[in-house]
Amino acid sequence: MGVASLVLGIIAVVIGLFSAGSLGWLGAILAVIGIVLGALGRKDVEKKGISTAGLVLSIIGLVLCLILYIACVACIGGLAAL
């Protein structure tokens, strides 16, 4: 579960950085799944390190995706008001 969490966290961060906020909802969903898998994976003593890395990356990906998605929606809303 730790490896899956790490992969989902990396994908969420990449989506957050390179989609300019338009796919933030997809990155947020993947990050939430990564957080759950990272939390479950931390119970295994042998793979605790990789699970922690996946958990941290998923949290960063979630925050990044949500902030950029909200900013993108606000910009589009601001343009519509003109």
Side-chain angles (χ1 to χ4, degrees):
M1 289 193 198
V3 175
S5 173
L6 186 64
V7 169
L8 289 173
I10 291 170
I11 292 172
V13 169
V14 169
I15 287 175
L17 288 176
F18 295 115
S19 71
S22 59
L23 292 177
W25 57 272
L26 177 63
I29 292 171
L30 293 176
V32 168
I33 295 170
I35 290 171
V36 170
L37 290 177
L40 291 175
R42 283 182 48 94
K43 294 178 183 176
D44 187 12
V45 177
E46 295 175 356
K47 297 183 180 179
K48 191 172 183 180
I50 198 163
S51 297
T52 303
L55 184 65
V56 168
L57 264 176
S58 295
I59 291 170
I60 292 170
L62 178 66
V63 170
L64 185 67
C65 286
L66 288 179
I67 288 174
L68 292 176
Y69 183 70
I70 290 170
C72 185
V73 169
C75 287
I76 292 173
L79 290 175
L82 295 176

